[in-house]
């Protein structure tokens, strides 16, 4: 049940022309949760107002707007509970993230971090450009039924508008210095501010091991569009309880419940 999972980190250090190439091989130990992607949610409007509870909550998303019907009729939806014995992906993935500046924006449902210069990855020969990173607390994906404190979605889009999302789970543990500038920017979005995070490489936010589960799913927010390629990292990152609280103090409970796996197979995408 062990598939080799390979993600290549190719971090380019801006200004020096120095490139680093590291090959990271992941190996299945336990199952990891999948991460759903969240595109920028629709804002405002008499129809299409959605939330995470009550009459406009996830059970009713498909009824709220004609464009949201996939939320209730889709059969390849996200998030999912990843079976604990699921294999890791063997698809070649390259991260070409560079040192960049970012801007944080509160969408009303989460806080997104947008890059101010293009950041790219390549999955199975297809290049995707980073759109934004945002969080859910607690996690949306579960692994073997286990939920995590938070889940981060690194959303990427190809020239053909296909989406690939890297999902990162977070557990409570040690203070995470790499994440500090990002988490500091989250509460700073209150009051309509859009703080910048400067000199950040997205790769620094990822765990050392990039072994991941892959599956074909959907956005986890309306309109719940399918055809999203999910790469859920098996290894969670650690954040301190204070860092987690900083996230939750701005948005919490913004997690869609898991959806049925149906006939999808983990790490066998493009079926
Ligand atoms: Zn999301």
């Amino acid at each position: 049940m062990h598939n080799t999972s390979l993600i290549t980190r190719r971090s380019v250090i801006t200004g020096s022309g120095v490139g680093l190439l590291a090959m990271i091989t992941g190996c299945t130990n336990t199952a990891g949760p999948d991460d759903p992607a969240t595109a920028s949610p629709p804002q405002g409007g008499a129809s299409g107002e959605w939330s995470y509870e009550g009459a406009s909550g996830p059970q009713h998303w498909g009824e709220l707007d004609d464009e949201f019907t996939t939320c209730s009729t889709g059969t390849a939806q996200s998030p999912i509970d990843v079976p604990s014995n699921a294999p890791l992906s063997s698809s070649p993935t390259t991260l070409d993230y560079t040192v960049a500046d970012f801007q944080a924006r509160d969408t009303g449902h989460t806080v997104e971090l947008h890059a101010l210069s293009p950041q790219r990855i390549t999955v199975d020969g297809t290049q995707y450009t980073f759109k934004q990173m945002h969080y859910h607390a607690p996690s949306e994906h579960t692994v073997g039924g286990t939920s995590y404190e938070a889940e981060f979605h690194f959303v990427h889009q190809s020239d053909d508008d296909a989406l690939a999302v890297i999902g990162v789970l977070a557990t409570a543990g040690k203070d995470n210095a790499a994440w500090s500038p990002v988490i500091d920017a989250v509460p700073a979005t209150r009051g309509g501010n859009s703080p910048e995070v400067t000199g950040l490489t997205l790769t620094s936010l990822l765990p050392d091991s990039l072994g991941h589960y892959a599956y074909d799913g959907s956005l986890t927010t309306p309109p719940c569009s399918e055809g999203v390629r999910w790469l859920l990292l098996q290894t969670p990152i650690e954040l301190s309880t204070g860092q987690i609280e900083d996230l939750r103090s701005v948005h919490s409970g913004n997690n869609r419940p898991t959806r049925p796996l149906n006939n999808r197979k983990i790490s066998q995408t493009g079926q």
Side-chain angles (χ1 to χ4, degrees):
M1 294 299 292
H2 285 63
N3 281 8
T4 300
S5 175
L6 190 67
I7 290 185
T8 304
R9 299 174 191 242
R10 188 160 58 212
S11 300
V12 178
I13 299 171
T14 302
S16 69
V18 176
L20 295 175
L21 183 69
M23 309 286 281
I24 292 90
T25 301
C27 180
T28 29
N29 304 325
T30 62
D34 294 349
D35 291 355
T38 300
S40 299
Q43 297 295 302
S47 70
E49 291 278 8
W50 57 273
S51 73
Y52 286 98
E53 59 184 4
S56 58
Q59 287 74 18
H60 301 286
W61 286 349
E63 312 156 11
L64 298 176
D65 190 299
D66 288 346
E67 296 184 357
F68 296 174
T69 53
T70 304
C71 297
S72 53
T73 62
T75 57
Q77 291 285 292
S78 296
I80 59 170
D81 175 49
V82 177
S84 56
N85 63 348
L88 294 183
S89 172
S90 58
S91 297
T93 301
T94 303
L95 309 180
D96 286 315
Y97 295 142
T98 61
V99 178
D101 297 337
F102 296 82
Q103 191 159 39
R105 298 176 201 161
D106 193 333
T107 68
H109 298 290
T110 186
V111 173
E112 295 179 347
L113 196 66
H114 291 255
L116 301 182
S117 58
Q119 303 295 308
R120 296 189 175 89
I121 65 172
T122 303
V123 182
D124 260 353
T126 299
Q127 188 176 75
Y128 298 84
T129 302
F130 176 82
K131 302 300 291 181
Q132 44 93 1
M133 186 275 289
H134 63 268
Y135 72 95
H136 303 267
S139 71
E140 298 201 295
H141 287 88
T142 57
V143 180
T146 299
S147 175
Y148 288 75
E149 295 283 353
E151 180 171 336
F152 299 92
H153 293 157
F154 294 68
V155 182
H156 305 76
Q157 190 170 36
S158 74
D159 289 344
D160 296 332
D161 294 333
L163 294 175
V165 183
I166 297 177
V168 180
L169 300 165
T171 59
K174 296 188 295 290
D175 190 74
N176 192 321
W179 275 87
S180 286
V182 175
I183 291 175
D184 288 349
V186 171
T189 60
R190 283 174 169 169
N193 295 325
S194 297
E196 288 197 7
V197 178
T198 58
L200 175 71
T201 305
L202 291 172
T203 313
S204 70
L205 304 179
L206 304 178
D208 289 338
S209 172
L210 298 180
H212 61 280
Y213 305 100
Y215 80 97
D216 294 323
S218 74
L219 301 179
T220 65
T221 57
C224 307
S225 311
E226 297 187 344
V228 176
R229 184 173 187 128
W230 279 97
L231 298 85
L232 181 67
L233 301 192
Q234 180 192 38
T235 303
I237 58 166
E238 282 188 26
L239 298 176
S240 69
T241 53
Q243 289 179 311
I244 293 166
E245 183 50 39
D246 280 349
L247 298 174
R248 296 182 63 92
S249 69
V250 181
H251 293 288
S252 65
N254 59 345
N255 60 306
R256 186 190 196 190
T258 56
R259 307 299 301 154
L261 186 59
N262 293 325
N263 60 353
R264 289 173 288 177
K265 289 187 168 56
I266 306 299
S267 298
Q268 293 183 20
T269 57
Q271 302 288 303

